[in-house]
Amino acid sequence: MPRFNPFNTARVYRHESSLKLLAVSGLYKIFSYNGVASTVTSMMTSSSLARYAAEITVLPQFCLRATADSIKSLAFGLKAKYSIRSIPDPISEEASTLADRKFNLKEKIQCIAFAAKINNKSKCKRQGNTVMFVPLKITSIVCPETLEKVTTVLNKLSDQSSDIDILETRLEKEYPDLMSDIEYDIQYVMKICRVAKKANISIVIDAEQSNRQPAIEFIGRQLARQMNTLGDTPTVYQTYQMYLVKNMDVIIREMEIAEKEGYVYAVSLVRGAYRTLERERERKYGIRILHRCKDNTDDAYDDMVMTLLERIANRGRISVILATHNTESVTRAVSTMERLGISTDHPGVHLAQLKGIADHLTVSLGEAGYNVHKQYAFGSFDDVMPFLIRRLNENKDVYGAMQLDRQLIATELQRRFSATENAQKEKYSYYGEQGWR
């Protein structure tokens, strides 16, 4: 099995044609210009031609149409070619009405059932399930206003005590109506988790804005206590955005709670996806929410990865998904795993990237035997494109990964053209010496 080497372009792109690589490189170049993502959005709403162009170029690179055949084809292809697993993500935006939330509930359960069918039909059983994770945006199932109210109360109570047991007790006693509202919504999330557990699939709860996140963490903790039993694959993963200043302390606290209460602590680490909104909130309320610069966020991310991997190496009851397109972070994580003696296929360590981005990382990790996953959004064009544009606008690491991808593609194309030219020279040299026969 080859070692992890994301710069071996001959291996990374061996299944891609030169024409495909040229097209992808051109698309990355377009998105490298400042503000182009927002421009694409406005053009799609005003021009049917621009919409059609995006539908045949941008959409296939980063997302999928909501057809069973396209999803199965990609999932089976990634697993067979590169040992990469899939994270199918049916786009569900936040829902303000109960009818919308019930519709999203039904859609998510159907997605889990479909993922289970993919696993049952997989031809690569020796490497485990083709689909292990399904993301969940809590505000598509739980009323956003309720989350914001619970967050406000939790922030108020946490100013008086940092003890989670005390906070939860006071929340139940002093705000019974609010608890009734949140528990009503939690039952729907629990239904999703029970279906997922039965299908041996884990739910990854997305992180959201800071004015909702404490309530989401509260829900995640309640679910993990019931679903992440020791000895079983954890069903509930909680996502943390490491651009938030407080999250180093929050994760350590949650690890200690899980250890004390005896359940598996499952966490997904990302850098963050709501930077613009959080900066506005900082200016409005005069509070510090985010790290001051990207370097600080990078350090926080890498430090947290180190802490979690050390806990895992010491037989901690932890499972982690390192969701990043940052080559340095992935390389450091791989080096740390080697140093700590954590096997490449350790069931508690997973890595993930979005479809169409940082393929040099995903392919290299898969071929080196790591548990790596590609997440791909699927749905109608009108659902998928706003989601994609928002990701591109907010995530600097995505842009950085695209530019590195362009450089690697250029290296590979140069290698191919040079190899072709040399082969032609050898051919003509041979016939020049031997004559035609």
Side-chain angles (χ1 to χ4, degrees):
M1 185 174 289
R3 289 177 59 82
F4 171 68
N5 180 5
F7 304 109
N8 185 346
T9 60
R11 286 197 64 85
V12 170
Y13 300 116
R14 70 185 186 278
H15 291 295
E16 304 293 348
S17 69
S18 296
L19 185 61
K20 169 74 178 297
L21 292 179
L22 280 169
V24 171
S25 180
L27 191 61
Y28 289 160
K29 176 64 176 176
I30 292 172
F31 276 98
S32 69
Y33 296 108
N34 288 333
V36 73
S38 299
T39 302
V40 169
T41 304
S42 60
M43 288 176 63
M44 285 189 306
T45 58
S46 60
S47 169
S48 58
L49 181 60
R51 176 188 173 95
Y52 175 72
E55 197 166 354
I56 63 174
T57 57
V58 180
L59 189 65
Q61 175 64 19
F62 302 109
C63 307
L64 281 182
R65 293 184 181 280
T67 64
D69 288 342
S70 65
I71 297 169
K72 285 191 291 186
S73 176
L74 178 60
F76 292 150
L78 290 173
K79 189 73 177 295
K81 290 179 182 178
Y82 309 110
S83 299
I84 297 171
R85 295 181 174 92
S86 294
I87 304 178
D89 184 10
I91 295 300
S92 298
E93 295 297 342
E94 70 176 60
S96 57
T97 68
L98 180 59
D100 287 340
R101 294 196 289 275
K102 287 186 176 181
F103 175 81
N104 291 334
L105 170 68
K106 181 180 178 181
E107 289 268 296
K108 190 62 65 174
I109 289 176
Q110 287 177 345
C111 177
I112 295 169
F114 181 68
K117 288 182 179 179
I118 291 177
N119 290 336
N120 291 335
K121 294 180 180 180
S122 176
K123 297 178 181 179
C124 303
K125 293 291 187 182
R126 63 184 178 83
Q127 295 173 323
N129 283 346
T130 299
V131 179
M132 296 182 67
F133 303 111
V134 170
L136 174 63
K137 185 178 179 69
I138 282 289
T139 48
S140 70
I141 306 295
V142 178
C143 178
E145 289 79 9
T146 301
L147 291 173
E148 291 171 8
K149 290 178 182 178
V150 172
T151 293
T152 299
V153 170
L154 286 172
N155 288 339
K156 176 183 176 182
L157 295 178
S158 64
D159 290 339
Q160 304 168 24
S161 174
S162 60
D163 189 296
I164 290 296
D165 291 335
I166 294 176
L167 290 180
E168 292 179 344
T169 300
R170 289 190 62 186
L171 185 61
E172 292 177 0
K173 288 184 176 180
E174 299 176 23
Y175 301 88
D177 292 341
L178 187 57
M179 280 300 297
S180 177
D181 290 341
I182 196 72
E183 286 173 355
Y184 178 84
D185 285 337
I186 287 178
Q187 69 174 321
Y188 294 117
V189 186
M190 180 59 76
K191 186 174 182 179
I192 292 172
C193 292
R194 290 196 180 102
V195 172
K197 191 175 186 69
K198 186 176 180 179
N200 196 27
I201 289 172
S202 299
I203 296 298
V204 183
I205 298 176
D206 287 344
E208 301 195 34
Q209 300 97 315
S210 60
N211 64 326
R212 299 169 177 175
Q213 190 57 34
I216 293 172
E217 290 163 8
F218 170 80
I219 292 173
R221 192 183 311 118
Q222 307 307 313
L223 297 172
R225 282 168 170 158
Q226 298 182 57
M227 307 303 294
N228 291 1
T229 52
L230 298 180
D232 293 335
T233 300
T235 301
V236 179
Y237 282 73
Q238 182 78 62
T239 301
Y240 293 92
Q241 301 178 107
M242 295 312 298
Y243 67 5
L244 295 177
V245 173
K246 68 175 185 177
N247 266 355
M248 289 281 287
D249 293 334
V250 170
I251 294 173
I252 296 296
R253 180 196 70 196
E254 295 297 326
M255 275 195 291
E256 292 174 349
I257 292 172
E259 183 69 26
K260 175 184 174 183
E261 298 186 14
Y263 60 88
V264 179
Y265 181 58
V267 55
S268 173
L269 287 188
V270 301
R271 276 173 166 76
Y274 299 95
R275 184 175 283 104
T276 301
L277 290 173
E278 299 298 359
R279 289 298 185 204
E280 291 175 359
R281 193 168 286 116
E282 284 184 326
R283 288 191 290 269
K284 181 176 181 180
Y285 297 105
I287 56 176
R288 184 180 177 189
I289 299 173
L290 305 180
H291 288 294
R292 286 293 171 235
C293 63
K294 185 178 181 303
D295 286 345
N296 291 348
T297 298
D298 291 341
D299 291 341
Y301 190 95
D302 293 336
D303 289 347
M304 197 69 253
V305 170
M306 178 82 72
T307 298
L308 291 167
L309 291 178
E310 287 176 348
R311 294 280 185 111
I312 289 171
N314 291 322
R315 300 176 182 251
R317 294 174 292 196
I318 297 170
S319 190
V320 62
I321 303 171
L322 309 179
T324 179
H325 305 95
N326 187 294
T327 300
E328 288 187 14
S329 288
V330 171
T331 302
R332 287 182 181 180
V334 166
S335 298
T336 300
M337 290 177 68
E338 291 179 354
R339 178 176 60 82
L340 295 174
I342 300 173
S343 63
T344 59
D345 61 347
H346 190 288
V349 182
H350 303 264
L351 300 101
Q353 290 84 40
L354 294 173
K355 180 182 183 296
I357 303 171
D359 289 344
H360 66 289
L361 292 177
T362 319
V363 171
S364 301
L365 288 165
E367 296 196 329
Y370 291 87
N371 297 318
V372 66
H373 310 255
K374 267 295 187 191
Q375 180 173 338
Y376 43 87
F378 66 88
S380 69
F381 180 83
D382 291 328
D383 287 335
V384 168
M385 282 306 297
F387 163 83
L388 174 62
I389 297 301
R390 190 166 61 248
R391 285 287 181 95
L392 294 176
N393 270 331
E394 286 283 350
N395 197 324
K396 291 184 179 180
D397 274 332
V398 167
Y399 280 111
M402 283 185 184
Q403 300 321 303
L404 179 55
D405 282 337
R406 283 188 65 235
Q407 295 173 22
L408 293 175
I409 288 173
T411 299
E412 174 58 14
L413 290 174
Q414 184 178 11
R415 184 195 69 80
R416 291 183 184 185
F417 296 152
S418 297
T420 301
E421 184 179 356
N422 291 336
Q424 291 293 333
K425 287 180 179 178
E426 290 178 7
K427 174 182 175 181
Y428 293 136
S429 175
Y430 173 80
Y431 285 121
E433 294 174 1
Q434 302 296 325
W436 291 87
R437 297 184 180 180

